[in-house]
Amino acid sequence: MANNEKKETAPAKEKSTLIHDTICLFVITLVAGILLGAVYTITKKPIDDQNEQAKQEAYAAVYDGADFVADDGIAKALDSFNKDLAAGKVSSQGLGSLSDVEIAEVLKAQVDGQDAGYVVTCSGKGYGGAVTLALGIDAEGAIKGIQVTDCSNETPGLGQNATNKDWNGQYVGTNTSQDLNVVKDGSGSGDAGTINAISGATITSSAVTRAVDGAFQFIASLQ
């Protein structure tokens, strides 16, 4: 009789254990979710503040002496232009479709209270991911300064050399009237709108150039 009772109560015990384990797992998951949410809430503002500071420092570097002002008309036009980019409606004669390009922000650059051009944050798809840059473009549509702000997904010693001023400085002076292209034979010339590729990193070089081309086309549409 005792053996029969043991056999009859075993499934009930297993069911009870399963329910207990399920409840424990639910509680652990719930607590972990709450803790992650709390950490995100605590760290979000400092991270956002740090990113904003880095962006403002990049803008100051590419357009020295200017103040940067948001403009609702530009923001509305940019939203429409980004949709055209994503849809493949914008292209470069030299580099083809610019569908991988995204222009995150365009602000007016003002000097002594007068409009003097624009600062732009834009990106193109490189070898390992998006390559992001800041541009200062004067009132005539020429690049005053450029800073590659993120190419961390590119290959160290190759694509990550896009941050080197000896390389990206060749974009300075190019302008919105040009359709830029990338060359690998060292014959690049800003006057001709040709950019010398980074040795062994043509994809990264093209990503930066497509991003600049996209920014040029948007700025030209405003002028």
PDB file of all heavy atoms in Angstrom, residues 7 22 36 43 69 111 114 133 191:
ATOM      1  N   LYS A   7       4.002   5.956  -5.550  1.00  0.00           N
ATOM      2  CA  LYS A   7       3.888   6.077  -6.996  1.00  0.00           C
ATOM      3  C   LYS A   7       2.857   7.130  -7.377  1.00  0.00           C
ATOM      4  O   LYS A   7       3.008   7.854  -8.349  1.00  0.00           O
ATOM      5  CB  LYS A   7       3.507   4.732  -7.606  1.00  0.00           C
ATOM      6  CG  LYS A   7       4.625   3.699  -7.533  1.00  0.00           C
ATOM      7  CD  LYS A   7       4.163   2.374  -8.120  1.00  0.00           C
ATOM      8  CE  LYS A   7       5.275   1.319  -8.035  1.00  0.00           C
ATOM      9  NZ  LYS A   7       4.830   0.023  -8.566  1.00  0.00           N
ATOM     10  N   THR A  22       9.498  27.414 -12.343  1.00  0.00           N
ATOM     11  CA  THR A  22       8.968  28.396 -13.290  1.00  0.00           C
ATOM     12  C   THR A  22       8.795  29.754 -12.625  1.00  0.00           C
ATOM     13  O   THR A  22       9.144  30.797 -13.192  1.00  0.00           O
ATOM     14  CB  THR A  22       7.627  27.926 -13.863  1.00  0.00           C
ATOM     15  OG1 THR A  22       7.811  26.667 -14.520  1.00  0.00           O
ATOM     16  CG2 THR A  22       7.074  28.936 -14.858  1.00  0.00           C
ATOM     17  N   LEU A  36      18.112  46.178 -15.407  1.00  0.00           N
ATOM     18  CA  LEU A  36      18.616  46.676 -16.691  1.00  0.00           C
ATOM     19  C   LEU A  36      17.944  47.993 -17.060  1.00  0.00           C
ATOM     20  O   LEU A  36      18.588  48.922 -17.558  1.00  0.00           O
ATOM     21  CB  LEU A  36      18.390  45.633 -17.790  1.00  0.00           C
ATOM     22  CG  LEU A  36      19.320  44.420 -17.784  1.00  0.00           C
ATOM     23  CD1 LEU A  36      18.852  43.388 -18.807  1.00  0.00           C
ATOM     24  CD2 LEU A  36      20.752  44.834 -18.067  1.00  0.00           C
ATOM     25  N   THR A  43      22.083  55.773 -17.008  1.00  0.00           N
ATOM     26  CA  THR A  43      23.221  56.052 -17.883  1.00  0.00           C
ATOM     27  C   THR A  43      22.836  56.774 -19.175  1.00  0.00           C
ATOM     28  O   THR A  43      23.711  57.347 -19.834  1.00  0.00           O
ATOM     29  CB  THR A  43      23.944  54.746 -18.258  1.00  0.00           C
ATOM     30  OG1 THR A  43      23.016  53.861 -18.942  1.00  0.00           O
ATOM     31  CG2 THR A  43      24.485  54.057 -17.018  1.00  0.00           C
ATOM     32  N   VAL A  69      23.030  76.631 -35.572  1.00  0.00           N
ATOM     33  CA  VAL A  69      21.624  76.913 -35.312  1.00  0.00           C
ATOM     34  C   VAL A  69      20.738  75.959 -36.107  1.00  0.00           C
ATOM     35  O   VAL A  69      20.929  75.789 -37.321  1.00  0.00           O
ATOM     36  CB  VAL A  69      21.287  78.379 -35.703  1.00  0.00           C
ATOM     37  CG1 VAL A  69      19.827  78.683 -35.422  1.00  0.00           C
ATOM     38  CG2 VAL A  69      22.205  79.354 -34.967  1.00  0.00           C
ATOM     39  N   VAL A 111      28.273  83.199 -38.409  1.00  0.00           N
ATOM     40  CA  VAL A 111      29.422  83.956 -37.919  1.00  0.00           C
ATOM     41  C   VAL A 111      28.965  85.394 -37.717  1.00  0.00           C
ATOM     42  O   VAL A 111      28.434  86.020 -38.647  1.00  0.00           O
ATOM     43  CB  VAL A 111      30.596  83.889 -38.911  1.00  0.00           C
ATOM     44  CG1 VAL A 111      31.761  84.746 -38.412  1.00  0.00           C
ATOM     45  CG2 VAL A 111      31.046  82.448 -39.118  1.00  0.00           C
ATOM     46  N   GLN A 114      25.447  86.143 -38.803  1.00  0.00           N
ATOM     47  CA  GLN A 114      25.089  86.035 -40.214  1.00  0.00           C
ATOM     48  C   GLN A 114      25.293  84.600 -40.709  1.00  0.00           C
ATOM     49  O   GLN A 114      26.274  83.938 -40.340  1.00  0.00           O
ATOM     50  CB  GLN A 114      25.957  86.986 -41.054  1.00  0.00           C
ATOM     51  CG  GLN A 114      25.820  88.447 -40.662  1.00  0.00           C
ATOM     52  CD  GLN A 114      24.415  88.977 -40.878  1.00  0.00           C
ATOM     53  OE1 GLN A 114      23.800  88.752 -41.918  1.00  0.00           O
ATOM     54  NE2 GLN A 114      23.897  89.696 -39.879  1.00  0.00           N
ATOM     55  N   LEU A 133      30.915  61.048 -40.286  1.00  0.00           N
ATOM     56  CA  LEU A 133      31.786  62.205 -40.370  1.00  0.00           C
ATOM     57  C   LEU A 133      31.026  63.494 -40.154  1.00  0.00           C
ATOM     58  O   LEU A 133      29.803  63.549 -40.314  1.00  0.00           O
ATOM     59  CB  LEU A 133      32.514  62.241 -41.716  1.00  0.00           C
ATOM     60  CG  LEU A 133      31.692  62.025 -42.976  1.00  0.00           C
ATOM     61  CD1 LEU A 133      32.207  62.903 -44.116  1.00  0.00           C
ATOM     62  CD2 LEU A 133      31.814  60.542 -43.402  1.00  0.00           C
ATOM     63  N   ASP A 191      40.795  69.481 -57.289  1.00  0.00           N
ATOM     64  CA  ASP A 191      40.267  70.296 -58.384  1.00  0.00           C
ATOM     65  C   ASP A 191      39.479  69.445 -59.374  1.00  0.00           C
ATOM     66  O   ASP A 191      38.506  69.914 -59.970  1.00  0.00           O
ATOM     67  CB  ASP A 191      41.407  71.008 -59.119  1.00  0.00           C
ATOM     68  CG  ASP A 191      42.053  72.090 -58.261  1.00  0.00           C
ATOM     69  OD1 ASP A 191      41.396  72.557 -57.310  1.00  0.00           O
ATOM     70  OD2 ASP A 191      43.206  72.454 -58.547  1.00  0.00           O
TER      71      ASP A 191
END
